[in-house]
Amino acid sequence: LSDMLILNPTTNNAFRVGYNRRALYQQSLTANQDWAKQLGIPNVNGGTFPFFNIGYTFAGLSAYQNIGEDFTMQDNFTKVVGKHMFKAGYELLRTRYNATVGALPGGTYNFGGTEAPFTPNTGNTFASFLLGTVSSATFTQSWASWLPRWWSHQWYVQDDWKPFRTVTVNLGLRWSYESPYSTKYNQQSQFDPTVQDPITGRLGAIVHPQAALAKKDLNNFAPRVGLAWNFRPKLVFRSSFGMIHQDVFAWTQNIMFDEYLATASIQAPVGDPRTVFNLSQGPPSFAYQLRSDGSAPYVGSNYSSRTASRWDPNMRMPYVLNWSGGVQWEFSSNWLLDASYQGQSAVGLINSWDMNAIPLNYSTDPTVLNQVYQSVQNYKPYPQFGTINYYSNFGHDTFHSGTLRVEKRYAAGAS
C-alpha cells in the first residue's frame, strides 16, 4: 500500500507499507494415525509412522511447517531548493519465522545387521525384523519451535546539487541497524568454550542465554558520493563511490537451536548380544531428559555426532563498497565511445568454519599422526563434540571490471 502526497510544486512525500507471508507445509498421510498401535507395537507415541532400519529404511514422510513473515514501512521525503534536491527517508523491516524441528516420536527401530547405528545382535537383519527382535531403538520429540525475530532500521539523507550548469554532485549518508540474533522466547543455543560441560566435565558446553547472542552494532554509517562533469561539449566524466550494509538475518533454518530435540535411546550394554525388546511387547518405559528451560541434554556416548554452534558475540553487519569511473565521448556524429571501470569489495561477509577441527600443524611426526588417525575424536580441541560451527564475519571478496563500448546511434536505418 503506497501513497504519494504532493505538498507543493517543490515538495512531495511518498509513504509505503507492505506485508509478505510465506508458508511451506508438508503433512504426512500417516501422521497422527497411531500406526504403531495398528501394527501391534504398544507403548509408543502415535504421532508418526515408525521408522524401521532393516538394511534399507522403511518409514512414512515427515511432517513440518515453515512460515516466514515480513512487515515493511517506508517514508521518503523530497524537497527542491534552488540548485539542490534534498531527499530523506526511513525504512523499517520486521521479520519473523516459525519452523518446526523434525522428530520421530513413533521411534526408529534397528534390527540385527551392520546397518544399525548401534552395535546390534548378529544375524540376518530382515530375519530379525520378521521376528520382531529389536537390537536398539531411538525416540525423538521436539519441545520447541524455531522462532527467530529481527528488527531492521535504516535512515538516509541525500543531496543532488548542481553547482554549475555542467556539474552535478551527489552526496548521501545512510545509517543502518539490525537487532542481534534472538528468538521469541529466548529458546536459543550458544557454544561457550569457557563453561564446563555437565555431561563430561570438560571445558566447552552448550548454553541457552536468555538474551541476544551478540551485542548491538550501532556503527553502520554508509556514505555515497557521485560526480557528473560535462567538461567539454561532447565529453562527460562520471564517477561514484557508495557503501551499503547487508542484513544478517539467518541463511538457513534451525540455526543456533541445539538441544531442543529430545532423544531417548534403548540399547543393550556393550558386549551383550541379546535383543532389547520385541515389537509385539513394545519398548520398556522411558522418559526424555529435560531441563527447566525446556532444552534437552545430549544422550549417547558417540560424541562425534554431538554438534554445536557458536555465534560471534561481536557479530556486525557486513558491508559492500562500490566505486566506478568513466568517460563518454561523442567523437563523431552519432558515434559514442564509452570507457568505464567498476570495482566492488564486500567486507565481513557471514561464513562458518568448524572450530573443533584438529589443527593442520598439530604434528609432523608420522607416529603421532598415525595415533591421531586411529582415534580422531580424542584429539579434537573439544573431544566431547563433533562439528562446532562458528559463525562470524570471515568472508571477503573483491571485483574489478573494465568496459570499452562503441555505439552508433540509430540513424539512416542502422544502429
Side-chain angles (χ1 to χ4, degrees), residues 242-275:
M243 178 177 176
I244 186 169
H245 286 85
Q246 182 185 42
D247 293 325
V248 178
F249 293 161
W251 50 95
T252 187
Q253 294 173 347
N254 297 320
I255 63 171
M256 315 310 299
F257 205 58
D258 301 298
E259 295 193 335
Y260 287 101
L261 185 67
T263 301
S265 297
I266 300 174
Q267 61 188 98
V270 177
D272 188 344
R274 293 175 297 177
T275 57

Side-chain angles (χ1 to χ4, degrees), residues 131-213:
L131 293 173
T133 54
V134 180
S135 61
S136 64
T138 303
F139 301 87
T140 58
Q141 181 68 55
S142 176
W143 295 96
S145 293
W146 187 60
L147 303 171
R149 300 290 188 269
W150 291 278
W151 289 96
S152 175
H153 303 271
Q154 297 195 47
W155 298 84
Y156 80 91
V157 292
Q158 181 175 312
D159 179 19
D160 297 333
W161 176 37
K162 288 186 67 70
F164 308 105
R165 185 179 60 83
T166 58
V167 176
T168 300
V169 179
N170 312 105
L171 300 171
L173 182 67
R174 178 182 291 265
W175 180 80
S176 304
Y177 170 75
E178 179 187 315
S179 58
Y181 182 94
S182 63
T183 59
K184 183 177 181 179
Y185 302 113
N186 289 320
Q187 291 176 316
Q188 54 206 7
S189 303
Q190 173 79 306
F191 177 78
D192 192 328
T194 65
V195 175
Q196 188 179 54
D197 180 26
I199 298 176
T200 63
R202 295 176 176 270
L203 277 183
I206 296 175
V207 297
H208 303 279
Q210 296 298 298
L213 299 186

Side-chain angles (χ1 to χ4, degrees), residues 63-384:
Y64 60 82
Q65 68 171 23
N66 297 322
I67 301 173
E69 291 182 325
D70 301 315
F71 171 79
T72 60
M73 183 180 71
Q74 244 182 39
D75 191 76
N76 296 285
F77 177 80
T78 302
K79 176 68 176 179
V80 178
V81 180
K83 297 181 178 180
H84 298 267
M85 178 184 288
F86 295 103
K87 295 181 180 179
Y90 166 73
E91 181 182 43
L92 166 70
L93 172 62
R94 170 66 165 167
T95 298
R96 63 181 184 176
Y97 284 92
N98 181 346
T100 57
V101 182
L104 288 172
T108 299
Y109 302 92
N110 303 303
F111 302 89
T114 58
E115 295 82 8
F118 301 104
T119 303
N121 59 319
T122 58
N124 185 276
T125 303
F126 190 69
S128 297
F129 168 67
L130 293 178
L131 293 173
T133 54
V134 180
S135 61
S136 64
T138 303
F139 301 87
T140 58
Q141 181 68 55
S142 176
W143 295 96
S145 293
W146 187 60
L147 303 171
R149 300 290 188 269
W150 291 278
W151 289 96
S152 175
H153 303 271
Q154 297 195 47
W155 298 84
Y156 80 91
V157 292
Q158 181 175 312
D159 179 19
D160 297 333
W161 176 37
K162 288 186 67 70
F164 308 105
R165 185 179 60 83
T166 58
V167 176
T168 300
V169 179
N170 312 105
L171 300 171
L173 182 67
R174 178 182 291 265
W175 180 80
S176 304
Y177 170 75
E178 179 187 315
S179 58
Y181 182 94
S182 63
T183 59
K184 183 177 181 179
Y185 302 113
N186 289 320
Q187 291 176 316
Q188 54 206 7
S189 303
Q190 173 79 306
F191 177 78
D192 192 328
T194 65
V195 175
Q196 188 179 54
D197 180 26
I199 298 176
T200 63
R202 295 176 176 270
L203 277 183
I206 296 175
V207 297
H208 303 279
Q210 296 298 298
L213 299 186
K215 64 183 182 182
K216 293 182 178 180
D217 178 20
L218 301 174
N219 189 30
N220 298 315
F221 294 94
R224 295 187 181 185
V225 180
L227 171 67
W229 183 17
N230 188 190
F231 60 94
R232 293 287 178 86
K234 295 186 178 182
L235 195 60
V236 178
F237 171 76
R238 290 185 174 90
S239 66
S240 66
F241 172 82
M243 178 177 176
I244 186 169
H245 286 85
Q246 182 185 42
D247 293 325
V248 178
F249 293 161
W251 50 95
T252 187
Q253 294 173 347
N254 297 320
I255 63 171
M256 315 310 299
F257 205 58
D258 301 298
E259 295 193 335
Y260 287 101
L261 185 67
T263 301
S265 297
I266 300 174
Q267 61 188 98
V270 177
D272 188 344
R274 293 175 297 177
T275 57
V276 292
F277 65 87
N278 292 330
L279 288 177
S280 59
Q281 299 170 339
S285 298
F286 64 90
Y288 295 107
Q289 298 183 37
L290 295 175
R291 301 189 183 100
S292 59
D293 60 3
S295 63
Y298 176 78
V299 175
S301 58
N302 181 16
Y303 293 121
S304 63
S305 64
R306 184 188 184 193
T307 60
S309 300
R310 177 168 174 77
W311 191 268
D312 188 350
N314 296 310
M315 185 78 77
R316 68 177 192 270
M317 294 182 71
Y319 60 90
V320 180
L321 304 172
N322 292 281
W323 58 93
S324 66
V327 294
Q328 289 183 321
W329 177 34
E330 187 179 3
F331 60 91
S332 181
S333 178
N334 294 324
W335 285 89
L336 179 70
L337 174 65
D338 185 352
S340 63
Y341 161 76
Q342 175 77 42
Q344 177 177 289
S345 179
V347 182
L349 300 176
I350 308 302
N351 288 163
S352 70
W353 60 279
D354 182 7
M355 61 181 291
N356 201 30
I358 298 174
L360 294 177
N361 61 349
Y362 184 84
S363 176
T364 58
D365 186 340
T367 303
V368 174
L369 294 176
N370 187 60
Q371 292 174 349
V372 174
Y373 177 75
Q374 296 297 327
S375 184
V376 173
Q377 188 64 32
N378 294 336
Y379 291 89
K380 288 179 176 288
Y382 305 95
Q384 70 272 29

